[in-house]
CSV table of all heavy atoms in Angstrom, one decimal:
chain,number,residue,atom,x,y,z
A,9,THR,N,-28.2,-10.8,2.6
A,9,THR,CA,-26.7,-10.8,2.3
A,9,THR,C,-26.1,-9.5,2.1
A,9,THR,O,-26.8,-8.6,1.5
A,9,THR,CB,-26.4,-11.8,1.1
A,9,THR,OG1,-27.0,-13.1,1.4
A,9,THR,CG2,-25.0,-11.8,0.7
A,10,THR,N,-24.9,-9.2,2.5
A,10,THR,CA,-24.4,-7.9,2.4
A,10,THR,C,-23.0,-8.0,1.6
A,10,THR,O,-22.3,-9.0,1.9
A,10,THR,CB,-24.1,-7.3,3.8
A,10,THR,OG1,-25.2,-7.1,4.4
A,10,THR,CG2,-23.4,-5.9,3.7
A,11,SER,N,-22.8,-7.2,0.6
A,11,SER,CA,-21.5,-7.3,-0.1
A,11,SER,C,-20.8,-6.1,0.3
A,11,SER,O,-21.3,-4.8,0.4
A,11,SER,CB,-21.7,-7.2,-1.6
A,11,SER,OG,-22.4,-8.4,-2.0
A,12,ARG,N,-19.4,-6.3,0.6
A,12,ARG,CA,-18.6,-5.2,1.0
A,12,ARG,C,-17.3,-5.3,0.2
A,12,ARG,O,-16.8,-6.5,0.0
A,12,ARG,CB,-18.2,-5.2,2.4
A,12,ARG,CG,-19.3,-4.9,3.4
A,12,ARG,CD,-18.8,-4.9,4.8
A,12,ARG,NE,-19.8,-4.6,5.8
A,12,ARG,CZ,-20.3,-5.3,6.7
A,12,ARG,NH1,-19.9,-6.6,6.7
A,12,ARG,NH2,-21.2,-4.9,7.5
A,13,THR,N,-16.7,-4.2,0.0
A,13,THR,CA,-15.3,-4.1,-0.7
A,13,THR,C,-14.5,-3.4,0.4
A,13,THR,O,-14.8,-2.2,0.8
A,13,THR,CB,-15.3,-3.5,-2.1
A,13,THR,OG1,-16.1,-4.2,-2.9
A,13,THR,CG2,-13.8,-3.5,-2.7
A,14,LEU,N,-13.3,-4.1,0.7
A,14,LEU,CA,-12.4,-3.4,1.6
A,14,LEU,C,-11.0,-3.2,1.0
A,14,LEU,O,-10.7,-4.0,0.2
A,14,LEU,CB,-12.2,-4.4,2.9
A,14,LEU,CG,-13.4,-4.8,3.7
A,14,LEU,CD1,-13.0,-6.0,4.6
A,14,LEU,CD2,-14.0,-3.7,4.4
A,15,LEU,N,-10.5,-2.0,1.4
A,15,LEU,CA,-9.2,-1.8,0.9
A,15,LEU,C,-8.2,-2.5,2.0
A,15,LEU,O,-8.4,-2.2,3.1
A,15,LEU,CB,-8.9,-0.4,0.9
A,15,LEU,CG,-9.4,0.5,-0.3
A,15,LEU,CD1,-9.1,1.9,-0.1
A,15,LEU,CD2,-9.1,-0.1,-1.6
A,16,ILE,N,-7.3,-3.2,1.4
A,16,ILE,CA,-6.4,-4.0,2.4
A,16,ILE,C,-4.9,-3.3,2.3
A,16,ILE,O,-4.4,-3.2,1.2
A,16,ILE,CB,-6.2,-5.5,2.0
A,16,ILE,CG1,-7.6,-6.1,1.9
A,16,ILE,CG2,-5.4,-6.2,3.0
A,16,ILE,CD1,-8.3,-6.1,3.2
A,17,SER,N,-4.4,-3.0,3.3
A,17,SER,CA,-3.1,-2.5,3.4
A,17,SER,C,-2.0,-3.4,4.1
A,17,SER,O,-2.4,-4.3,4.8
A,17,SER,CB,-3.0,-1.1,4.1
A,17,SER,OG,-3.4,-1.3,5.7
A,18,GLY,N,-0.8,-3.3,3.6
A,18,GLY,CA,0.3,-4.1,4.2
A,18,GLY,C,0.6,-5.4,3.4
A,18,GLY,O,1.5,-6.0,3.9
A,19,MET,N,-0.1,-5.7,2.4
A,19,MET,CA,0.2,-6.9,1.5
A,19,MET,C,1.3,-6.6,0.7
A,19,MET,O,1.5,-5.5,0.1
A,19,MET,CB,-1.1,-7.3,0.8
A,19,MET,CG,-2.1,-7.8,1.6
A,19,MET,SD,-3.5,-8.4,0.6
A,19,MET,CE,-3.9,-7.2,-0.6
A,20,HIS,N,2.4,-7.5,0.7
A,20,HIS,CA,3.5,-7.4,-0.2
A,20,HIS,C,3.6,-8.5,-1.3
A,20,HIS,O,4.5,-8.4,-2.1
A,20,HIS,CB,4.8,-7.4,0.7
A,20,HIS,CG,4.7,-6.2,1.7
A,20,HIS,ND1,5.0,-5.0,1.3
A,20,HIS,CD2,4.6,-6.3,3.0
A,20,HIS,CE1,4.9,-4.2,2.4
A,20,HIS,NE2,4.7,-5.0,3.4
A,21,CYS,N,2.9,-9.5,-1.1
A,21,CYS,CA,2.9,-10.6,-2.1
A,21,CYS,C,1.6,-11.4,-2.2
A,21,CYS,O,0.7,-11.1,-1.3
A,21,CYS,CB,4.1,-11.5,-1.8
A,21,CYS,SG,3.8,-12.4,-0.1
A,22,ALA,N,1.5,-12.3,-3.0
A,22,ALA,CA,0.3,-13.2,-3.2
A,22,ALA,C,0.1,-14.0,-1.9
A,22,ALA,O,-1.0,-14.3,-1.6
A,22,ALA,CB,0.5,-14.0,-4.4
A,23,ALA,N,1.1,-14.4,-1.2
A,23,ALA,CA,0.9,-15.2,0.0
A,23,ALA,C,0.3,-14.3,1.1
A,23,ALA,O,-0.6,-14.8,1.9
A,23,ALA,CB,2.2,-15.7,0.5
A,24,CYS,N,0.5,-13.1,1.1
A,24,CYS,CA,-0.1,-12.2,2.0
A,24,CYS,C,-1.6,-12.0,1.7
A,24,CYS,O,-2.5,-12.1,2.6
A,24,CYS,CB,0.4,-10.7,1.9
A,24,CYS,SG,2.1,-10.4,2.4
A,25,ALA,N,-2.0,-12.0,0.5
A,25,ALA,CA,-3.4,-12.0,0.0
A,25,ALA,C,-4.2,-13.3,0.4
A,25,ALA,O,-5.2,-13.2,1.1
A,25,ALA,CB,-3.5,-11.8,-1.6
A,26,GLN,N,-3.4,-14.4,0.3
A,26,GLN,CA,-4.0,-15.7,0.8
A,26,GLN,C,-4.2,-15.7,2.2
A,26,GLN,O,-5.3,-16.3,2.8
A,26,GLN,CB,-3.1,-16.9,0.3
A,26,GLN,CG,-3.1,-17.1,-1.1
A,26,GLN,CD,-2.1,-18.2,-1.4
A,26,GLN,OE1,-1.2,-18.5,-0.7
A,26,GLN,NE2,-2.4,-18.8,-2.6
A,27,ARG,N,-3.4,-15.1,3.0
A,27,ARG,CA,-3.5,-15.0,4.5
A,27,ARG,C,-4.8,-14.2,4.9
A,27,ARG,O,-5.6,-14.6,5.8
A,27,ARG,CB,-2.2,-14.6,5.2
A,27,ARG,CG,-1.1,-15.4,5.2
A,27,ARG,CD,0.2,-14.9,6.0
A,27,ARG,NE,-0.2,-14.7,7.3
A,27,ARG,CZ,0.6,-14.1,8.2
A,27,ARG,NH1,1.6,-13.6,7.8
A,27,ARG,NH2,0.3,-14.0,9.4
A,28,VAL,N,-4.9,-13.1,4.3
A,28,VAL,CA,-6.0,-12.2,4.5
A,28,VAL,C,-7.3,-12.9,4.1
A,28,VAL,O,-8.3,-12.9,4.8
A,28,VAL,CB,-5.8,-10.8,3.7
A,28,VAL,CG1,-7.1,-10.0,3.9
A,28,VAL,CG2,-4.6,-10.1,4.3
A,29,GLU,N,-7.3,-13.6,2.9
A,29,GLU,CA,-8.5,-14.2,2.4
A,29,GLU,C,-8.9,-15.4,3.4
A,29,GLU,O,-10.1,-15.4,3.7
A,29,GLU,CB,-8.3,-14.7,1.0
A,29,GLU,CG,-9.5,-15.4,0.3
A,29,GLU,CD,-9.3,-15.8,-1.0
A,29,GLU,OE1,-8.9,-14.8,-1.8
A,29,GLU,OE2,-9.3,-17.0,-1.4
A,30,ARG,N,-7.9,-16.1,3.8
A,30,ARG,CA,-8.3,-17.2,4.8
A,30,ARG,C,-8.9,-16.7,6.1
A,30,ARG,O,-9.7,-17.2,6.6
A,30,ARG,CB,-7.0,-18.0,5.1
A,30,ARG,CG,-7.2,-19.4,5.1
A,30,ARG,CD,-5.9,-20.3,5.3
A,30,ARG,NE,-4.6,-19.7,5.4
A,30,ARG,CZ,-3.8,-19.6,4.3
A,30,ARG,NH1,-4.0,-20.2,3.2
A,30,ARG,NH2,-2.5,-19.0,4.5
A,31,ALA,N,-8.3,-15.5,6.6
A,31,ALA,CA,-8.6,-14.9,7.9
A,31,ALA,C,-10.1,-14.4,7.7
A,31,ALA,O,-10.8,-14.7,8.7
A,31,ALA,CB,-7.8,-13.8,8.2
A,32,LEU,N,-10.5,-13.8,6.6
A,32,LEU,CA,-11.8,-13.3,6.3
A,32,LEU,C,-12.8,-14.5,6.2
A,32,LEU,O,-13.9,-14.5,6.7
A,32,LEU,CB,-11.9,-12.5,5.1
A,32,LEU,CG,-11.2,-11.1,5.2
A,32,LEU,CD1,-11.1,-10.4,3.8
A,32,LEU,CD2,-12.0,-10.2,6.2
A,33,GLN,N,-12.4,-15.6,5.6
A,33,GLN,CA,-13.3,-16.7,5.5
A,33,GLN,C,-13.6,-17.4,6.8
A,33,GLN,O,-14.6,-18.1,6.8
A,33,GLN,CB,-12.7,-17.8,4.5
A,33,GLN,CG,-12.5,-17.3,3.1
A,33,GLN,CD,-11.9,-18.2,2.2
A,33,GLN,OE1,-11.0,-19.0,2.6
A,33,GLN,NE2,-12.0,-18.1,0.9
A,34,HIS,N,-12.9,-17.2,7.7
A,34,HIS,CA,-13.1,-17.9,9.0
A,34,HIS,C,-14.0,-16.8,9.9
A,34,HIS,O,-14.3,-17.2,11.2
A,34,HIS,CB,-11.7,-18.1,9.8
A,34,HIS,CG,-11.1,-19.3,9.2
A,34,HIS,ND1,-10.3,-19.4,8.2
A,34,HIS,CD2,-11.4,-20.6,9.5
A,34,HIS,CE1,-9.9,-20.5,8.0
A,34,HIS,NE2,-10.6,-21.4,8.6
A,35,VAL,N,-14.3,-15.7,9.5
A,35,VAL,CA,-15.2,-14.7,10.3
A,35,VAL,C,-16.7,-15.3,10.3
A,35,VAL,O,-17.2,-15.7,9.2
A,35,VAL,CB,-15.1,-13.3,9.7
A,35,VAL,CG1,-16.2,-12.4,10.6
A,35,VAL,CG2,-13.8,-12.8,9.9
A,36,PRO,N,-17.3,-15.4,11.4
A,36,PRO,CA,-18.6,-15.9,11.4
A,36,PRO,C,-19.6,-15.1,10.5
A,36,PRO,O,-19.5,-13.9,10.5
A,36,PRO,CB,-19.1,-16.0,12.9
A,36,PRO,CG,-17.9,-16.0,13.6
A,36,PRO,CD,-16.8,-15.2,12.7
A,37,GLY,N,-20.4,-15.7,9.7
A,37,GLY,CA,-21.3,-15.1,8.9
A,37,GLY,C,-20.8,-14.9,7.5
A,37,GLY,O,-21.6,-14.5,6.5
A,38,ILE,N,-19.6,-15.1,7.2
A,38,ILE,CA,-19.0,-14.8,5.9
A,38,ILE,C,-19.4,-16.0,4.9
A,38,ILE,O,-19.3,-17.2,5.2
A,38,ILE,CB,-17.5,-14.8,5.9
A,38,ILE,CG1,-17.0,-13.6,6.6
A,38,ILE,CG2,-16.9,-14.9,4.5
A,38,ILE,CD1,-17.4,-12.3,6.0
A,39,THR,N,-20.0,-15.6,3.8
A,39,THR,CA,-20.4,-16.6,2.7
A,39,THR,C,-19.4,-16.7,1.6
A,39,THR,O,-19.3,-17.8,1.0
A,39,THR,CB,-21.9,-16.4,2.1
A,39,THR,OG1,-21.8,-15.0,1.7
A,39,THR,CG2,-22.9,-16.4,3.2
A,40,SER,N,-18.6,-15.6,1.5
A,40,SER,CA,-17.6,-15.6,0.3
A,40,SER,C,-16.6,-14.4,0.6
A,40,SER,O,-16.9,-13.3,1.0
A,40,SER,CB,-18.2,-15.3,-0.9
A,40,SER,OG,-17.3,-15.0,-2.0
A,41,ALA,N,-15.3,-14.7,0.5
A,41,ALA,CA,-14.3,-13.7,0.5
A,41,ALA,C,-13.2,-14.0,-0.3
A,41,ALA,O,-12.8,-15.1,-0.5
A,41,ALA,CB,-13.7,-13.8,2.0
A,42,ARG,N,-12.9,-13.0,-1.2
A,42,ARG,CA,-11.8,-13.1,-2.2
A,42,ARG,C,-11.1,-11.9,-2.1
A,42,ARG,O,-11.4,-10.7,-2.0
A,42,ARG,CB,-12.5,-13.1,-3.6
A,42,ARG,CG,-13.3,-14.3,-3.9
A,42,ARG,CD,-12.5,-15.6,-4.1
A,42,ARG,NE,-13.3,-16.8,-4.3
A,42,ARG,CZ,-13.6,-17.7,-3.4
A,42,ARG,NH1,-12.9,-17.5,-2.2
A,42,ARG,NH2,-14.3,-18.7,-3.5
A,43,VAL,N,-9.7,-12.0,-2.1
A,43,VAL,CA,-8.7,-10.9,-2.0
A,43,VAL,C,-8.1,-10.9,-3.3
A,43,VAL,O,-7.5,-11.8,-3.9
A,43,VAL,CB,-7.8,-11.2,-0.8
A,43,VAL,CG1,-6.7,-10.1,-0.8
A,43,VAL,CG2,-8.6,-11.2,0.4
A,44,ASN,N,-7.9,-9.6,-3.8
A,44,ASN,CA,-7.2,-9.3,-5.1
A,44,ASN,C,-5.9,-8.6,-4.8
A,44,ASN,O,-6.1,-7.3,-4.4
A,44,ASN,CB,-8.1,-8.5,-6.1
A,44,ASN,CG,-7.4,-8.3,-7.3
A,44,ASN,OD1,-6.3,-8.0,-7.4
A,44,ASN,ND2,-8.2,-8.5,-8.5
A,45,PHE,N,-4.8,-9.1,-4.8
A,45,PHE,CA,-3.5,-8.6,-4.4
A,45,PHE,C,-3.2,-7.4,-5.2
A,45,PHE,O,-2.9,-6.3,-4.7
A,45,PHE,CB,-2.4,-9.7,-4.5
A,45,PHE,CG,-1.0,-9.0,-4.3
A,45,PHE,CD1,-0.6,-8.4,-3.1
A,45,PHE,CD2,-0.1,-8.9,-5.4
A,45,PHE,CE1,0.5,-7.8,-2.9
A,45,PHE,CE2,1.1,-8.4,-5.2
A,45,PHE,CZ,1.5,-7.7,-4.0
A,46,ALA,N,-3.4,-7.5,-6.5
A,46,ALA,CA,-3.0,-6.4,-7.5
A,46,ALA,C,-3.9,-5.1,-7.2
A,46,ALA,O,-3.4,-4.0,-7.3
A,46,ALA,CB,-3.4,-6.7,-9.0
A,47,LEU,N,-5.2,-5.3,-6.8
A,47,LEU,CA,-6.0,-4.1,-6.5
A,47,LEU,C,-5.9,-3.7,-5.0
A,47,LEU,O,-6.6,-2.7,-4.6
A,47,LEU,CB,-7.5,-4.4,-6.9
A,47,LEU,CG,-7.8,-4.5,-8.4
A,47,LEU,CD1,-9.2,-5.0,-8.7
A,47,LEU,CD2,-7.4,-3.3,-9.1
A,48,ALA,N,-5.3,-4.6,-4.2
A,48,ALA,CA,-5.2,-4.4,-2.7
A,48,ALA,C,-6.7,-4.3,-2.1
A,48,ALA,O,-7.1,-3.4,-1.3
A,48,ALA,CB,-4.4,-3.1,-2.3
A,49,GLN,N,-7.7,-5.2,-2.7
A,49,GLN,CA,-9.0,-5.2,-2.2
A,49,GLN,C,-9.5,-6.6,-1.9
A,49,GLN,O,-8.9,-7.6,-2.3
A,49,GLN,CB,-9.8,-4.6,-3.4
A,49,GLN,CG,-9.7,-3.3,-3.6
A,49,GLN,CD,-10.7,-2.8,-4.8
A,49,GLN,OE1,-11.4,-3.6,-5.3
A,49,GLN,NE2,-10.6,-1.5,-5.2
A,50,ALA,N,-10.4,-6.5,-0.9
A,50,ALA,CA,-11.2,-7.9,-0.6
A,50,ALA,C,-12.6,-7.7,-0.8
A,50,ALA,O,-13.1,-6.6,-0.5
A,50,ALA,CB,-10.8,-8.1,1.0
A,51,MET,N,-13.2,-8.6,-1.5
A,51,MET,CA,-14.6,-8.5,-1.8
A,51,MET,C,-15.3,-9.6,-0.8
A,51,MET,O,-14.9,-10.8,-1.0
A,51,MET,CB,-14.9,-8.9,-3.2
A,51,MET,CG,-14.6,-7.8,-4.2
A,51,MET,SD,-12.8,-7.2,-4.4
A,51,MET,CE,-12.2,-8.7,-5.3
A,52,VAL,N,-16.1,-9.2,0.0
A,52,VAL,CA,-16.6,-10.1,1.1
A,52,VAL,C,-18.2,-9.9,0.9
A,52,VAL,O,-18.9,-8.9,0.8
A,52,VAL,CB,-16.1,-9.5,2.4
A,52,VAL,CG1,-16.8,-10.4,3.5
A,52,VAL,CG2,-14.8,-9.5,2.5
A,53,GLU,N,-18.8,-11.3,1.1
A,53,GLU,CA,-20.2,-11.4,1.1
A,53,GLU,C,-20.5,-12.0,2.5
A,53,GLU,O,-19.8,-13.0,2.8
A,53,GLU,CB,-20.7,-12.2,0.0
A,53,GLU,CG,-20.7,-11.5,-1.3
A,53,GLU,CD,-21.4,-12.2,-2.5
A,53,GLU,OE1,-22.1,-13.3,-2.2
A,53,GLU,OE2,-21.2,-11.8,-3.6
A,54,SER,N,-21.5,-11.5,3.2
A,54,SER,CA,-21.8,-11.9,4.5
A,54,SER,C,-23.3,-11.8,4.8
A,54,SER,O,-23.9,-11.0,4.1
A,54,SER,CB,-21.0,-11.3,5.6
A,54,SER,OG,-21.3,-10.0,5.6
A,55,ASP,N,-23.6,-12.4,5.9
A,55,ASP,CA,-25.0,-12.2,6.3
A,55,ASP,C,-25.1,-10.8,7.1
A,55,ASP,O,-23.9,-10.3,7.5
A,55,ASP,CB,-25.6,-13.4,7.1
A,55,ASP,CG,-25.0,-13.7,8.3
A,55,ASP,OD1,-24.4,-12.8,9.1
A,55,ASP,OD2,-24.8,-14.9,8.7
A,56,ASP,N,-26.2,-10.3,7.5
A,56,ASP,CA,-26.2,-9.1,8.3
A,56,ASP,C,-25.7,-9.1,9.6
A,56,ASP,O,-25.4,-8.1,10.1
A,56,ASP,CB,-27.7,-8.6,8.3
A,56,ASP,CG,-28.2,-8.1,7.0
A,56,ASP,OD1,-27.3,-7.7,6.2
A,56,ASP,OD2,-29.5,-8.0,6.8
A,57,SER,N,-25.3,-10.3,10.1
A,57,SER,CA,-24.8,-10.3,11.5
A,57,SER,C,-23.3,-10.0,11.5
A,57,SER,O,-22.8,-9.7,12.6
A,57,SER,CB,-25.1,-11.7,12.1
A,57,SER,OG,-24.3,-12.7,11.5
A,58,THR,N,-22.6,-9.9,10.4
A,58,THR,CA,-21.2,-9.7,10.2
A,58,THR,C,-21.0,-8.2,10.3
A,58,THR,O,-21.4,-7.4,9.5
A,58,THR,CB,-20.6,-10.3,9.0
A,58,THR,OG1,-20.9,-11.7,9.0
A,58,THR,CG2,-19.1,-10.2,9.0
A,59,THR,N,-20.2,-7.7,11.2
A,59,THR,CA,-19.8,-6.3,11.3
A,59,THR,C,-18.5,-6.0,10.7
A,59,THR,O,-17.7,-6.8,10.4
A,59,THR,CB,-19.7,-5.8,12.8
A,59,THR,OG1,-18.6,-6.6,13.6
A,59,THR,CG2,-20.9,-6.2,13.6
A,60,LEU,N,-18.5,-4.8,10.3
A,60,LEU,CA,-17.2,-4.2,9.6
A,60,LEU,C,-16.1,-4.4,10.8
A,60,LEU,O,-14.9,-4.8,10.4
A,60,LEU,CB,-17.3,-2.7,9.3
A,60,LEU,CG,-16.1,-2.1,8.8
A,60,LEU,CD1,-15.6,-2.7,7.6
A,60,LEU,CD2,-16.3,-0.6,8.6
A,61,GLU,N,-16.3,-4.2,12.0
A,61,GLU,CA,-15.2,-4.3,13.0
A,61,GLU,C,-14.7,-5.8,13.1
A,61,GLU,O,-13.6,-6.0,13.3
A,61,GLU,CB,-15.9,-3.9,14.4
A,61,GLU,CG,-16.0,-2.4,14.5
A,61,GLU,CD,-17.4,-1.9,13.8
A,61,GLU,OE1,-18.3,-2.8,13.5
A,61,GLU,OE2,-17.5,-0.7,13.4
A,62,SER,N,-15.6,-6.7,12.9
A,62,SER,CA,-15.2,-8.1,12.9
A,62,SER,C,-14.3,-8.4,11.7
A,62,SER,O,-13.3,-9.2,11.9
A,62,SER,CB,-16.4,-9.1,13.1
A,62,SER,OG,-17.2,-9.1,11.8
A,63,LEU,N,-14.6,-7.9,10.6
A,63,LEU,CA,-13.7,-8.0,9.5
A,63,LEU,C,-12.4,-7.5,9.6
A,63,LEU,O,-11.4,-8.0,9.3
A,63,LEU,CB,-14.5,-7.5,8.2
A,63,LEU,CG,-15.8,-8.1,7.8
A,63,LEU,CD1,-16.4,-7.2,6.7
A,63,LEU,CD2,-15.6,-9.6,7.4
A,64,GLN,N,-12.5,-6.2,10.1
A,64,GLN,CA,-11.1,-5.4,10.4
A,64,GLN,C,-10.4,-6.2,11.5
A,64,GLN,O,-9.1,-6.2,11.3
A,64,GLN,CB,-11.5,-4.0,10.8
A,64,GLN,CG,-12.0,-3.2,9.6
A,64,GLN,CD,-12.5,-1.9,10.1
A,64,GLN,OE1,-13.1,-1.6,11.1
A,64,GLN,NE2,-12.1,-0.8,9.2
A,65,SER,N,-10.8,-6.7,12.5
A,65,SER,CA,-10.2,-7.4,13.5
A,65,SER,C,-9.5,-8.6,13.0
A,65,SER,O,-8.4,-9.1,13.4
A,65,SER,CB,-11.1,-7.8,14.7
A,65,SER,OG,-11.5,-6.8,15.3
A,66,ALA,N,-10.3,-9.4,12.1
A,66,ALA,CA,-9.7,-10.7,11.6
A,66,ALA,C,-8.5,-10.2,10.7
A,66,ALA,O,-7.4,-10.9,10.8
A,66,ALA,CB,-10.7,-11.4,10.7
A,67,VAL,N,-8.5,-9.3,9.8
A,67,VAL,CA,-7.4,-8.8,9.0
A,67,VAL,C,-6.3,-8.4,9.8
A,67,VAL,O,-5.1,-8.7,9.7
A,67,VAL,CB,-7.8,-7.8,8.0
A,67,VAL,CG1,-6.7,-7.1,7.2
A,67,VAL,CG2,-9.0,-8.3,6.9
A,68,ALA,N,-6.6,-7.5,10.8
A,68,ALA,CA,-5.5,-7.0,11.7
A,68,ALA,C,-4.8,-8.1,12.6
A,68,ALA,O,-3.6,-8.0,12.8
A,68,ALA,CB,-6.1,-5.9,12.8
A,69,ALA,N,-5.5,-9.2,12.9
A,69,ALA,CA,-4.8,-10.2,13.6
A,69,ALA,C,-3.8,-11.0,12.8
A,69,ALA,O,-2.9,-11.5,13.3
A,69,ALA,CB,-6.0,-11.3,13.9
A,70,GLU,N,-4.0,-10.8,11.5
A,70,GLU,CA,-2.9,-11.3,10.6
A,70,GLU,C,-1.8,-10.4,10.2
A,70,GLU,O,-0.9,-10.6,9.5
A,70,GLU,CB,-3.6,-11.8,9.2
A,70,GLU,CG,-4.5,-12.9,9.4
A,70,GLU,CD,-3.8,-14.2,9.9
A,70,GLU,OE1,-2.6,-14.5,9.5
A,70,GLU,OE2,-4.4,-14.9,10.8
A,71,GLY,N,-2.0,-9.1,10.7
A,71,GLY,CA,-0.8,-8.1,10.6
A,71,GLY,C,-1.1,-7.1,9.4
A,71,GLY,O,-0.1,-6.5,9.0
A,72,TYR,N,-2.3,-6.9,8.9
A,72,TYR,CA,-2.7,-6.2,7.9
A,72,TYR,C,-3.7,-5.1,8.3
A,72,TYR,O,-4.4,-5.3,9.4
A,72,TYR,CB,-3.1,-7.0,6.6
A,72,TYR,CG,-2.2,-8.0,6.3
A,72,TYR,CD1,-2.3,-9.3,6.7
A,72,TYR,CD2,-1.1,-7.7,5.5
A,72,TYR,CE1,-1.4,-10.3,6.3
A,72,TYR,CE2,-0.1,-8.7,5.2
A,72,TYR,CZ,-0.2,-10.0,5.6
A,72,TYR,OH,0.6,-10.9,5.3
A,73,GLY,N,-4.1,-4.2,7.3
A,73,GLY,CA,-5.1,-3.2,7.7
A,73,GLY,C,-6.2,-3.3,6.7
A,73,GLY,O,-6.0,-3.8,5.6
A,74,ALA,N,-7.4,-2.9,7.1
A,74,ALA,CA,-8.5,-3.0,6.2
A,74,ALA,C,-9.5,-1.8,6.6
A,74,ALA,O,-9.6,-1.4,7.8
A,74,ALA,CB,-9.3,-4.4,6.5
Side-chain angles (χ1 to χ4, degrees):
T9 301
T10 301
S11 295
R12 292 185 175 112
T13 302
L14 304 173
L15 291 178
I16 307 297
S17 60
M19 295 190 300
H20 300 287
C21 63
C24 295
Q26 288 177 337
R27 287 182 65 186
V28 172
E29 188 171 295
R30 220 175 0 252
L32 288 169
Q33 289 171 342
H34 284 93
V35 173
I38 294 295
T39 57
S40 173
R42 297 286 176 252
V43 176
N44 185 316
F45 171 65
L47 296 176
Q49 293 182 359
M51 287 65 71
V52 179
E53 290 185 14
S54 64
D55 61 38
D56 285 343
S57 69
T58 306
T59 65
L60 175 60
E61 291 77 20
S62 66
L63 299 175
Q64 290 173 314
S65 293
V67 173
E70 295 297 322
Y72 305 96

